[in-house]
Amino acid sequence: MRKTLDSYVANTPPHVVAARRLVDRTGGEPPRVIAYRITTSGPEAVELCEHEPDREHYVEKQVRPVAEPVLNALGLDFAQVIHLLGRARESLKNAGQGISRWFPG
């Protein structure tokens, strides 16, 4: 953290939200560096993570921006690829295959 947690007023970045939650739960000092993940309940410090990762967030904010230009160059549509992957996952899951190796959750 470059600033104190209290100095974030108008805009609160996710790492600050996670740090505030960590301090609230542990009563400790704010960390200088925090590892966090975006969960279904918002940003959480990795060491106190209680909720599932927000997969939709990561697909839309991390995967899509990188994959879309590559897929477009190949003449593929990101939404269609995601849809097909979801269908393949369900088919394999229903068939009793060990798909969790590749698609956990």
Side-chain angles (χ1 to χ4, degrees), residues 13-30:
H15 71 284
V16 174
V17 173
R20 284 179 179 161
R21 287 180 172 180
L22 178 66
V23 169
D24 288 347
R25 295 239 355 248
T26 64
E29 291 293 314

Side-chain angles (χ1 to χ4, degrees), residues 5-102:
L5 294 180
D6 294 336
S7 65
Y8 291 93
V9 180
N11 184 13
T12 308
H15 71 284
V16 174
V17 173
R20 284 179 179 161
R21 287 180 172 180
L22 178 66
V23 169
D24 288 347
R25 295 239 355 248
T26 64
E29 291 293 314
R32 174 116 171 90
V33 175
I34 185 162
Y36 72 94
R37 68 176 56 119
I38 304 297
T39 70
T40 55
S41 183
E44 294 184 5
V46 170
E47 59 265 31
L48 295 177
C49 205
E50 296 178 329
H51 299 89
E52 291 291 316
D54 184 343
R55 288 177 175 83
E56 185 176 329
H57 167 83
Y58 284 104
V59 168
E60 289 301 319
K61 303 293 184 182
Q62 302 288 321
V63 176
R64 181 181 221 129
V66 174
E68 209 161 48
V70 175
L71 293 172
N72 286 342
L74 297 171
L76 300 170
D77 178 67
F78 181 81
Q80 288 175 322
V81 170
I82 290 295
H83 176 73
L84 290 173
L85 285 173
R87 289 183 60 193
R89 179 177 186 235
E90 285 303 311
S91 293
L92 289 171
K93 192 176 184 181
N94 293 336
Q97 301 293 323
I99 190 68
S100 62
R101 288 186 290 186
W102 300 287

